[in-house]
Short mmCIF file of all heavy atoms in Angstrom, two decimals:
data_model
loop_
_atom_site.label_atom_id
_atom_site.label_comp_id
_atom_site.label_asym_id
_atom_site.label_seq_id
_atom_site.Cartn_x
_atom_site.Cartn_y
_atom_site.Cartn_z
N THR A 152 -39.77 -65.51 167.77
CA THR A 152 -40.39 -64.24 168.12
C THR A 152 -41.06 -63.61 166.91
O THR A 152 -40.88 -64.06 165.76
CB THR A 152 -39.35 -63.25 168.66
OG1 THR A 152 -38.45 -62.92 167.59
CG2 THR A 152 -38.59 -63.82 169.85
N TYR A 153 -41.79 -62.55 167.17
CA TYR A 153 -42.43 -61.80 166.09
C TYR A 153 -41.36 -61.29 165.12
O TYR A 153 -41.51 -61.43 163.90
CB TYR A 153 -43.24 -60.63 166.67
CG TYR A 153 -44.10 -59.91 165.67
CD1 TYR A 153 -45.45 -60.22 165.54
CD2 TYR A 153 -43.58 -58.92 164.85
CE1 TYR A 153 -46.25 -59.58 164.63
CE2 TYR A 153 -44.37 -58.26 163.93
CZ TYR A 153 -45.71 -58.59 163.81
OH TYR A 153 -46.50 -57.95 162.90
N ALA A 154 -40.28 -60.71 165.65
CA ALA A 154 -39.21 -60.16 164.81
C ALA A 154 -38.54 -61.23 163.96
O ALA A 154 -38.04 -60.94 162.87
CB ALA A 154 -38.17 -59.46 165.68
N GLU A 155 -38.58 -62.46 164.43
CA GLU A 155 -37.99 -63.58 163.69
C GLU A 155 -38.96 -64.20 162.68
O GLU A 155 -38.62 -65.17 162.01
CB GLU A 155 -37.52 -64.67 164.66
CG GLU A 155 -36.40 -64.22 165.58
CD GLU A 155 -36.13 -65.20 166.71
OE1 GLU A 155 -37.09 -65.75 167.29
OE2 GLU A 155 -34.93 -65.41 167.02
N GLY A 156 -40.17 -63.64 162.59
CA GLY A 156 -41.15 -64.13 161.62
C GLY A 156 -42.07 -65.21 162.14
O GLY A 156 -42.79 -65.85 161.36
N GLY A 157 -42.05 -65.45 163.45
CA GLY A 157 -42.84 -66.52 164.05
C GLY A 157 -44.30 -66.59 163.66
O GLY A 157 -44.80 -67.67 163.33
N PRO A 158 -45.03 -65.46 163.66
CA PRO A 158 -46.46 -65.57 163.38
C PRO A 158 -46.79 -65.99 161.94
O PRO A 158 -47.90 -66.42 161.67
CB PRO A 158 -47.02 -64.17 163.67
CG PRO A 158 -45.88 -63.29 163.91
CD PRO A 158 -44.65 -64.12 164.07
N TYR A 159 -45.82 -65.89 161.04
CA TYR A 159 -46.06 -66.27 159.65
C TYR A 159 -45.85 -67.77 159.40
O TYR A 159 -46.11 -68.25 158.31
CB TYR A 159 -45.19 -65.44 158.71
CG TYR A 159 -45.53 -63.97 158.78
CD1 TYR A 159 -44.69 -63.07 159.43
CD2 TYR A 159 -46.70 -63.49 158.22
CE1 TYR A 159 -45.01 -61.73 159.51
CE2 TYR A 159 -47.04 -62.15 158.30
CZ TYR A 159 -46.19 -61.28 158.95
OH TYR A 159 -46.52 -59.95 159.02
N ASP A 160 -45.36 -68.48 160.40
CA ASP A 160 -45.24 -69.93 160.33
C ASP A 160 -46.60 -70.50 160.70
O ASP A 160 -47.05 -70.39 161.85
CB ASP A 160 -44.16 -70.39 161.30
CG ASP A 160 -44.03 -71.91 161.37
OD1 ASP A 160 -45.02 -72.64 161.18
OD2 ASP A 160 -42.91 -72.37 161.65
N ALA A 161 -47.30 -71.11 159.75
CA ALA A 161 -48.67 -71.57 159.97
C ALA A 161 -48.78 -72.53 161.16
O ALA A 161 -49.67 -72.38 162.01
CB ALA A 161 -49.23 -72.23 158.71
N ALA A 162 -47.88 -73.50 161.24
CA ALA A 162 -47.94 -74.47 162.33
C ALA A 162 -47.72 -73.78 163.68
O ALA A 162 -48.42 -74.06 164.66
CB ALA A 162 -46.92 -75.58 162.12
N ALA A 163 -46.77 -72.87 163.74
CA ALA A 163 -46.51 -72.14 164.98
C ALA A 163 -47.69 -71.26 165.35
O ALA A 163 -48.06 -71.16 166.52
CB ALA A 163 -45.24 -71.30 164.84
N ASN A 164 -48.31 -70.63 164.37
CA ASN A 164 -49.44 -69.75 164.63
C ASN A 164 -50.62 -70.52 165.20
O ASN A 164 -51.26 -70.10 166.17
CB ASN A 164 -49.83 -69.02 163.33
CG ASN A 164 -50.65 -67.79 163.58
OD1 ASN A 164 -51.83 -67.88 163.92
ND2 ASN A 164 -50.04 -66.62 163.42
N VAL A 165 -50.90 -71.69 164.63
CA VAL A 165 -52.00 -72.53 165.13
C VAL A 165 -51.66 -73.04 166.53
O VAL A 165 -52.52 -73.04 167.42
CB VAL A 165 -52.30 -73.68 164.15
CG1 VAL A 165 -53.30 -74.67 164.74
CG2 VAL A 165 -52.82 -73.12 162.83
#
Side-chain angles (χ1 to χ4, degrees):
T152 66
Y153 189 97
E155 296 169 319
Y159 296 106
D160 176 329
N164 199 286
V165 172

